């Protein structure tokens, strides 16, 4: 069984829904399909919430627009009978939503509970549509209610996934005899039995929990890009999809700003070593990104450059901090008590300052929490009140190979320096999976692009050649490749590497390449007796990218 999750853009129009139907229809295994709300719907519901709680009755027209969009896309997909049933169901959902928002409008207040209740309607409506479309086109389609399978509980004042309760419920209730099971992502039930959600972008998480609990063979995340890119495609034009990533690398990339996959979604499937495939609904033949155990092994030390915006820096400084044990732990306890997440931490070795990067929206609260904790030290003049600076971004470079290669951070910093980007703080995780720098928000594009170009555009493309036959033509080809190597590198950033040569008597395969003017005698002296079947097998087992057999 496979779990396939389709994001907002994948279910956002009649055309993309047709593509989703084809993808699901072409699967040979049992499929559990998890759907997000239509793209933009959750944002519109948040807008309606804000309007209603602020006493603005135009929340009602937001609902009209949402209803209209669902009906209009359904109109392009469903036959008359199904469309009339679908319209009836959508009107029912919109009516209930209107009632809840009217209550919020009258009270003038939103709670986490009422907000989750409203936001959950986006997924309820898209599920209604996907169920109707898939049932019309495919056999044996059944609906499952994720609110009976995904549970949350309060942790640090917030609704968080309750994995064990969810796992038990999924094992108990997920239908196993249907070819296609359709479910809503994002929505869940709280410990008290109220509607809750897994947070924005959380449909990936729903799918991951189902895949993990049900022991799926794989989790496929179908979205609007062809995988996890070397940088956000919206920021770096020359970013490209990464073929393979380890779970740890993917976690790091997604924690540090790549919105393409909800970072918490990796853990549950990693525990069971279920592979994750990120695929493009709009280009289903593209390979996508495979996330699995172990590192990819190919490519450079740096896998991706990511960024997080809307960051502020909070610093605690003072002569009275040096050598005093427990300052840092008190600071982090104070933040934890107020449920504030520190994204990056640096401490100068003089121990006279600690600087943390946090979400900008938490800035004032963080300063209050810190000033409260250090009240007596501040009164005594040993530390200064927390300093808040806004308008920053974090840029991170991620890759498992960084711990084996020297000079990665130097290369990144000099690229930033050459491009005039000022670095305000630096941190390297002890896992050496990640080096992060804090830059001005206005510099983030330049910073991501200059680091990206430094590590990715400078890399020569390697073409690997296997050659059978070193008569006149074969030998002339080898001579030309070797002679013009410099030209191809400087003109085309392309390196031709001759990996294998076979003639009627000897054959030689070297993964690092065969080069130098003595190549012919090298093959004759170091080579083995020719067996073209073995030569071919070795070529396939090396499995190098960009291979040409001549
Ligand atoms: P979905 O609605 O399918 O869940 P999201 O909008 O949540 O899709 O995530 C996909 C988007 O993530 C892409 O359109 C892309 O702009 C953005 N993104 C940011 N960083 C990256 C990255 N490194 N690789 C791929 N996509 C990224
Ligand atoms: N619809 C929700 C959101 O927009 C969940 C998701 O799409 O993953 O955040
Ligand atoms: Mg998403």
């Amino acid at each position: 069984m496979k779990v396939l999750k389709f994001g907002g853009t994948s279910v956002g129009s009649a055309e993309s829904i047709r593509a989703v139907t084809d993808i699901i229809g072409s699967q040979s295994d049992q499929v559990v399909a998890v759907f997000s709300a239509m793209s933009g719907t959750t944002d519109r519901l948040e807008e309606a919430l804000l309007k209603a709680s602020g006493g603005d009755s135009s929340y009602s027209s937001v609902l009209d627009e949402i209803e209209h969009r669902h009906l209009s896309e359904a109109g392009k997909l469903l036959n008359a009978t199904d469309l009339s049933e679908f319209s009836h169901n959508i009107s029912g959902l919109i009516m209930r939503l209107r009632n809840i928002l009217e209550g919020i409008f009258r009270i003038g207040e939103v709670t986490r509970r009422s907000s989750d209740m409203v936001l959950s309607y986006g997924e309820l409506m898209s599920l209604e549509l996907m169920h109707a479309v898939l049932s019309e086109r495919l056999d044996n389609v059944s609906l499952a209610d994720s609110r009976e399978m995904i549970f949350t509980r309060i942790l640090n004042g917030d609704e968080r996934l309750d994995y064990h309760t969810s796992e038990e419920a999924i094992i108990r209730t997920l239908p196993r005899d249907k070819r296609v099971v359709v479910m809503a992502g994002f929505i869940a039930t709280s410990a008290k039995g109220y509607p809750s959600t897994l947070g924005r972008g959380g449909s990936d998480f729903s799918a991951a929990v189902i895949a993990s609990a049900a022991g799926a063979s794989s989790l496929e995340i179908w979205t609007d890009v062809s995988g996890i890119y070397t940088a956000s495609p919206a920021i770096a034009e020359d970013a490209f999809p990464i073929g393979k990533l380890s779970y740890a690398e993917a976690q790091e990339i997604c924690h540090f700003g790549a919105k393409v996959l909800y970072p918490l979604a990796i853990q549950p499937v990693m525990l069971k070593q279920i592979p994750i495939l990120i695929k493009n609904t709009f280009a289903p033949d593209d390979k996508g990104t495979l996330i699995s155990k172990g590192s990819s092994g190919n490519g450079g030390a740096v896998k991706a450059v990511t960024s997080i915006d809307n960051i502020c820096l909070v610093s605690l400084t003072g002569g009275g901090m040096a050598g005093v044990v427990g300052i840092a732990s008190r600071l982090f306890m104070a933040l934890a008590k107020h449920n504030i997440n520190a994204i990056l931490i640096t401490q100068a070795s003089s121990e006279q300052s600690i600087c943390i990067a946090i979400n900008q929206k938490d800035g004032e609260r963080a300063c209050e929490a810190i000033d409260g904790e250090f009240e007596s030290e501040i009164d005594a003049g040993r530390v200064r009140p927390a300093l808040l600076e806004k308008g920053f971004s974090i840029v991170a470079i991620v890759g498992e190979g960084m711990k084996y290669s020297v000079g990665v951070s130097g290369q990144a910093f000099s690229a930033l320096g050459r491009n005039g980007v000022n670095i305000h703080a630096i941190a390297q995780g002890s896992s050496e999976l990640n080096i992060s720098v804090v830059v001005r928000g206005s510099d983030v594009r330049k910073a991501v692009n200059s680091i990206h170009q430094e590590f990715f555009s400078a890399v020569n493309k390697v073409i690997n050649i296997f050659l059978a036959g070193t008569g006149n033509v074969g030998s002339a080809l080898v001579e030309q490749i070797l002679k013009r190597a410099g030209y191809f590198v400087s003109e085309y950033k392309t390196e031709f590497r001759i990996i294998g040569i076979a003639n009627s008597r000897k054959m030689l395969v070297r993964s690092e390449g065969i080069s130098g003017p003595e190549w012919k005698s090298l093959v004759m002296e170091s080579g083995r007796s020719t067996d073209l079947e073995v030569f071919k097998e070795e070529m396939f087992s090396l499995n190098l990218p960009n291979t040409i057999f001549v």
Side-chain angles (χ1 to χ4, degrees):
M1 182 253 275
K2 274 187 184 177
V3 176
L4 272 60
K5 177 260 173 180
F6 295 90
T9 31
S10 302
V11 298
S13 68
E15 198 190 349
S16 63
I17 291 173
R18 279 193 200 101
V20 169
T21 312
D22 291 343
I23 292 162
I24 296 176
S26 68
Q27 303 292 325
S28 47
D29 298 348
Q30 189 201 8
V31 171
V32 176
V34 178
F35 301 107
S36 288
M38 285 179 119
S39 50
T41 304
T42 316
D43 290 338
R44 300 297 323 265
L45 290 170
E46 277 192 336
E47 183 191 333
L49 266 170
L50 207 68
K51 285 186 160 169
S53 61
D56 176 352
S57 62
S58 70
Y59 71 84
S60 181
S61 40
V62 176
L63 297 193
D64 294 339
E65 284 165 33
I66 293 175
E67 182 174 21
H68 177 259
R69 178 170 172 208
H70 283 79
L71 292 176
S72 120
E73 296 313 304
K76 299 174 199 160
L77 290 160
L78 297 174
N79 65 36
T81 327
D82 291 340
L83 183 62
S84 117
E85 189 186 336
F86 173 76
S87 309
H88 174 79
N89 293 346
I90 284 289
S91 305
L93 288 170
I94 290 282
M95 196 173 72
R96 270 184 270 161
L97 188 53
R98 220 179 272 286
N99 288 339
I100 302 164
L101 281 162
E102 195 187 319
I104 293 171
F105 176 73
R106 286 180 194 281
I107 299 167
E109 185 189 47
V110 208
T111 58
R112 163 89 198 219
R113 203 174 116 189
S114 58
S115 156
D116 276 353
M117 196 182 274
V118 167
L119 297 188
S120 70
Y121 277 78
E123 267 69 9
L124 293 176
M125 287 186 280
S126 72
L127 179 65
E128 197 66 55
L129 177 57
M130 293 311 299
H131 181 224
V133 172
L134 289 167
S135 305
E136 210 177 82
R137 284 155 209 238
L138 303 174
D139 293 332
N140 209 356
V141 174
S142 121
L143 191 69
D145 193 340
S146 26
R147 292 167 299 183
E148 290 168 8
M149 290 189 221
I150 308 282
F151 291 89
T152 59
R153 65 193 169 104
I154 299 280
L155 209 77
N156 291 328
D158 215 1
E159 290 289 350
R160 300 282 171 83
L161 175 81
D162 178 345
Y163 183 79
H164 292 292
T165 309
S166 307
E167 181 181 45
E168 193 265 321
I170 291 164
I171 292 170
R172 191 163 31 82
T173 49
L174 187 71
R176 289 301 193 136
D177 55 344
K178 307 287 179 196
R179 202 169 90 73
V180 180
V181 178
V182 293
M183 294 177 68
F186 183 57
I187 63 178
T189 300
S190 74
K192 290 192 173 151
Y194 303 121
S196 62
T197 69
L198 298 180
R200 295 303 308 269
S203 290
D204 298 337
F205 201 12
S206 310
V209 172
I210 293 161
S212 167
S217 59
S218 68
L219 167 64
E220 297 184 0
I221 303 289
W222 288 82
T223 181
D224 56 3
V225 285
S226 296
I228 299 185
Y229 280 54
T230 49
S232 164
I235 297 182
E237 237 177 55
D238 51 353
F240 52 89
I242 307 164
K244 282 170 99 182
L245 286 170
S246 68
Y247 291 112
E249 284 174 328
Q251 240 165 355
E252 206 78 8
I253 292 171
C254 297
H255 264 297
F256 276 82
K259 183 196 170 208
V260 57
L261 179 61
Y262 191 74
L264 297 180
I266 298 167
Q267 178 81 5
V269 279
M270 178 175 81
L271 284 177
K272 304 240 170 116
Q273 307 225 333
I274 297 166
I276 309 174
L277 195 58
I278 315 284
K279 292 280 285 179
N280 190 345
T281 303
F282 305 91
D285 294 333
D286 285 1
K287 265 184 70 190
T289 298
L290 173 70
I291 304 167
S292 59
K293 196 181 86 168
S295 181
S296 52
N298 57 18
V302 176
K303 284 288 165 56
V305 187
T306 61
S307 58
I308 310 176
D309 292 332
N310 300 320
I311 293 295
C312 67
L313 292 177
V314 174
S315 332
L316 184 67
T317 57
M321 285 166 62
V324 180
V325 177
I327 299 262
S329 81
R330 279 172 61 199
L331 186 139
F332 296 125
M333 285 299 288
L335 295 177
K337 230 188 293 172
H338 292 81
N339 206 10
I340 296 168
N341 178 33
I343 303 170
L344 177 152
I345 303 153
T346 60
Q347 176 170 30
S349 60
S350 68
E351 289 189 44
Q352 297 203 4
S353 77
I354 300 174
C355 173
I356 54 167
I358 58 178
N359 276 324
Q360 202 145 275
K361 64 174 174 41
D362 295 329
E364 278 83 11
R365 280 198 313 127
C367 290
E368 278 166 31
I370 296 168
D371 290 350
E373 174 65 35
F374 292 96
E375 195 177 357
S376 59
E377 284 88 345
I378 292 171
D379 285 346
R382 286 197 302 257
V383 301
R384 281 187 279 278
L387 174 72
L388 175 64
E389 295 168 280
K390 290 189 170 179
F392 291 98
S393 293
I394 296 177
V395 174
I397 44 181
V398 181
E400 231 155 36
M402 293 195 317
K403 56 174 159 255
Y404 309 112
S405 45
V406 182
V408 172
S409 43
Q411 213 181 328
F413 299 151
S414 65
L416 292 176
R418 276 201 311 278
N419 285 283
V421 176
N422 201 2
I423 301 172
H424 293 262
I426 299 170
Q428 172 167 28
S430 57
S431 62
E432 288 190 49
L433 261 173
N434 169 325
I435 298 168
S436 312
V437 295
V438 176
V439 300
R440 277 265 158 227
S442 50
D443 275 342
V444 72
R445 269 186 173 268
K446 194 155 78 167
V448 169
N449 276 291
S450 52
I451 297 178
H452 189 265
Q453 272 155 29
E454 181 72 23
F455 288 103
F456 295 99
S457 308
V459 178
N460 290 333
K461 179 172 183 177
V462 177
I463 310 274
N464 297 295
I465 295 178
F466 288 79
L467 172 82
T470 54
N472 284 341
V473 175
S475 298
L477 176 67
V478 175
E479 296 292 351
Q480 278 184 18
I481 290 173
L482 296 179
K483 210 156 60 197
R484 290 175 67 84
Y487 169 78
F488 282 118
V489 168
S490 63
E491 281 299 306
Y492 297 106
K493 287 199 166 164
T494 300
E495 189 185 324
F496 286 92
R497 221 175 263 171
I498 303 173
I499 306 296
I501 296 179
N503 58 36
S504 55
R505 278 176 295 157
K506 291 288 171 87
M507 62 175 200
L508 181 65
V509 175
R510 283 202 169 159
S511 56
E512 72 277 23
I514 302 165
S515 57
E518 262 68 66
W519 64 272
K520 237 179 198 161
S521 43
L522 189 72
V523 172
M524 294 313 285
E525 283 154 24
S526 313
R528 291 161 289 159
S529 298
T530 292
D531 180 341
L532 284 181
E533 208 48 49
V534 175
F535 189 69
K536 190 183 82 181
E537 265 165 35
E538 289 195 10
M539 178 174 78
F540 282 116
S541 69
L542 275 172
N543 199 17
L544 297 169
N546 308 319
T547 294
I548 299 177
F549 180 79
V550 182

